[in-house]
């Protein structure tokens, strides 16, 4: 299949791997930012094919995983209210809040619906003018533009019974927070290609320069990952730290101007809490004052809900690359995809789910050596 098979060619993969093996002379720790990249790496065993000196650290780029428990609890509260139709993508329904999830709210009589687009939720609002329809808007720079467009359309079309529960986050401030952490081991980044296809690469040169870290924009197929790793280790071995676009078939330097204009119109940059990590300054978006009537948090007065995250789940360390999923004591025992303790086990992009799905149940020698918990 075009654009799929051509990026899974075993001969090309072997050549890229040979190139990486002959380039690397020292240990390097690279972080793949996106959960989709993590799944490609684990599913295809790419980390096991790399030289022992190259460690891949799994980053925080899974939208479900980084949505704070507090926001899940706000969603549960709103979805439980009489007269509300609560719409969400399916992967959020099993994410545990405090004591329950959206499936349980639906089982108890709440009107919780799975939709495939925020515009589906807007249509439901048009069809049910006497009900309050809320869409759960989470995720990174990739999901934010369609959600912004939906709020823009709600205002333009005069649909007053639609609102958005917003928990959008931005990648560059997370990279900065990771690099500022005293326990940071990351020496190079595979940046998330789809985020850059929206936002472009303009925010990265300053980060690369300030932290002297190479940032290579990388795609999601096995050959994309290998090429991203190859370009990153070449820079590291040469002592360079530039921004490099290894995903030009999808990413233009300026990104998608129409999507960026829509984001600018509808959202304001704000501080956001990341699950297990805490508040990162300027790392998210909220609806701008012009669209305040469409803000579910404001409309349902749930902004006072505050929640403490469960101590037994170590997803915060997983999301910061400080712990491999199978090094968590609960992994595969107390915590499985059927009985998830944390969002990184629920989401299809979560690192814990990837390790469970692809049977990474044993510690590798490298992780055993690097792990602070064994
Ligand atoms: S295995 Fe489960 S409990 Fe452990 S960090 Fe992952 S989600 Fe949390």
């Amino acid at each position: 299949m075009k654009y799929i098979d051509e990026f899974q060619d075993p001969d090309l993969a072997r050549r890229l791997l040979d190139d990486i093996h002959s380039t690397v002379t020292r240990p390097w720790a690279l972080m793949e930012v996106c959960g989709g990249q993590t799944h490609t790496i684990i599913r295809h065993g790419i980390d096991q094919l790399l030289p022992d000196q190259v460690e891949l650290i799994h980053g925080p780029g899974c939208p479900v995983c980084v949505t704070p428990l507090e926001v899940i609890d706000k969603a549960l509260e709103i979805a439980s209210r009489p007269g509300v139709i609560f719409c969400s993508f399916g992967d959020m329904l099993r994410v545990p809040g405090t004591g329950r999830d959206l499936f349980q709210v639906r089982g108890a009589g709440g009107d919780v619906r799975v939709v495939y687009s925020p515009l589906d939720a807007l249509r439901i609002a048009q069809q049910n003018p006497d009900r309050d329809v809320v869409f759960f808007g989470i995720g990174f720079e990739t999901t934010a533009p369609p959600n912004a467009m939906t709020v823009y359309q709600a205002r333009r079309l005069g649909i007053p019974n639609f609102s958005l529960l917003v928990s959008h986050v931005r990648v560059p401030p997370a990279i900065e927070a990771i690099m500022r952490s005293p326990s940071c081991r990351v020496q190079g980044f595979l940046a998330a290609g789809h985020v850059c296809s929206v936002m472009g690469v303009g925010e990265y040169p300053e980060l690369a320069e300030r932290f002297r870290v190479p940032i290579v924009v990388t795609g999601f197929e096995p050959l994309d990952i290998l090429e991203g790793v190859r370009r990153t280790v070449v820079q590291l071995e040469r002592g360079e730290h530039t921004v490099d676009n290894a995903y030009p078939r999808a990413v233009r330097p300026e990104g998608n101007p129409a999507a960026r204009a829509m984001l600018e119109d509808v959202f304001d940059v704000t501080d956001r809490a990341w699950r297990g990590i805490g508040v990162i300054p300027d790392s998210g978006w909220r609806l701008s004052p012009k669209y305040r009537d469409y803000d579910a948090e404001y409309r349902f007065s749930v902004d006072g809900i505050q929640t403490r995250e469960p101590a037994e789940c170590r997803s915060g360390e997983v999301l910061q690359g400080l712990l491999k999923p199978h090094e968590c004591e609960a992994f595969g025992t107390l915590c499985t995809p059927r009985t998830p303790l944390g969002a990184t086990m629920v989401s299809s992009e979560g690192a814990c789910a990837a390790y469970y799905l692809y049977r990474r149940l044993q510690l590798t020698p490298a992780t055993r050596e690097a792990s602070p918990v064994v």
Side-chain angles (χ1 to χ4, degrees), residues 312-315 318 323 325 328-332 335 340-345 352:
E312 66 269 27
C313 176
R314 303 181 65 187
S315 58
V318 172
L323 185 82
C328 169
E329 295 81 351
F331 177 84
C335 183
L341 288 178
T344 42
M345 187 58 95
C352 297

Side-chain angles (χ1 to χ4, degrees), residues 70-361:
E70 196 168 288
V71 175
I72 308 293
D73 282 349
K74 289 175 184 175
L76 294 167
E77 168 62 25
I78 294 170
S80 305
R81 300 258 179 107
V84 167
I85 301 174
F86 193 88
C87 300
S88 172
F89 294 141
D91 50 2
M92 291 308 289
L93 268 63
R94 270 190 327 113
V95 180
T98 305
R100 58 186 178 153
D101 58 31
L102 283 166
F103 266 128
Q104 286 165 306
V105 170
R106 184 157 79 177
D111 194 344
V112 178
R113 302 187 191 182
V114 173
V115 293
Y116 295 96
S117 156
L119 288 172
D120 291 343
L122 192 61
R123 205 167 305 117
I124 291 170
Q126 278 179 304
Q127 292 161 353
N128 296 272
D130 54 337
R131 307 273 304 273
D132 259 308
V133 177
V134 182
F135 181 72
F136 200 0
I138 67 145
F140 288 85
E141 291 93 332
T142 44
T143 52
N147 292 343
M149 169 60 84
T150 305
V151 173
Y152 172 87
Q153 290 288 10
R155 186 168 181 265
R156 191 180 71 84
L157 298 170
I159 304 173
N161 60 322
F162 175 83
S163 60
L164 190 71
L165 179 60
V166 188
S167 186
H168 281 303
V169 284
R170 304 169 57 238
V171 167
I175 288 182
E176 177 170 352
I178 288 164
M179 291 309 296
R180 282 186 182 282
S181 166
S183 46
C184 175
R185 295 191 298 118
V186 179
Q187 294 163 295
F189 284 95
L190 309 186
H194 52 6
V195 165
C196 297
S197 71
V198 175
M199 302 303 293
V201 299
E203 291 179 273
Y204 293 117
E206 191 272 330
L207 287 171
E209 184 58 38
R210 182 152 39 115
F211 297 107
R212 306 185 67 77
V213 62
I215 299 176
V216 177
V217 179
T218 302
F220 301 87
E221 293 300 324
L223 293 185
D224 289 320
I225 302 286
L226 288 172
E227 177 64 358
V229 170
R230 189 190 70 79
R231 293 193 191 197
T232 310
V233 295
V234 164
Q235 283 203 45
L236 288 167
E237 291 282 341
R238 289 179 181 160
E240 296 171 354
H241 49 272
T242 64
V243 177
D244 184 14
N245 181 7
Y247 196 36
R249 72 183 185 279
V251 175
R252 287 176 300 181
E254 72 280 14
N256 180 331
R260 292 177 62 184
M262 184 55 62
L263 290 170
E264 240 172 71
D265 178 58
V266 174
F267 292 131
D268 282 345
V269 170
T270 187
D271 298 348
R272 276 265 172 231
W274 293 52
R275 189 167 192 166
I277 297 175
V279 174
I280 302 177
D282 291 339
S283 68
W285 279 301
R286 65 169 173 231
L287 287 167
S288 69
K290 187 163 94 178
Y291 293 95
R292 196 175 186 203
D293 290 345
Y294 297 90
D295 188 338
E297 217 170 314
Y298 171 68
R299 184 177 294 195
F300 294 94
S301 304
V302 292
D303 45 344
I305 291 179
Q306 291 184 340
T307 312
R308 285 177 70 111
E309 304 210 10
E312 66 269 27
C313 176
R314 303 181 65 187
S315 58
E317 291 162 83
V318 172
L319 291 169
Q320 293 174 80
L322 303 176
L323 185 82
K324 293 279 196 272
H326 55 357
E327 294 166 349
C328 169
E329 295 81 351
F331 177 84
T333 53
L334 290 176
C335 183
T336 70
R338 277 180 179 273
T339 56
L341 288 178
T344 42
M345 187 58 95
V346 175
S347 166
S348 58
E349 289 189 11
C352 297
Y355 271 61
Y356 189 89
L357 190 60
Y358 302 115
R359 295 286 162 201
R360 292 295 179 86
L361 303 180

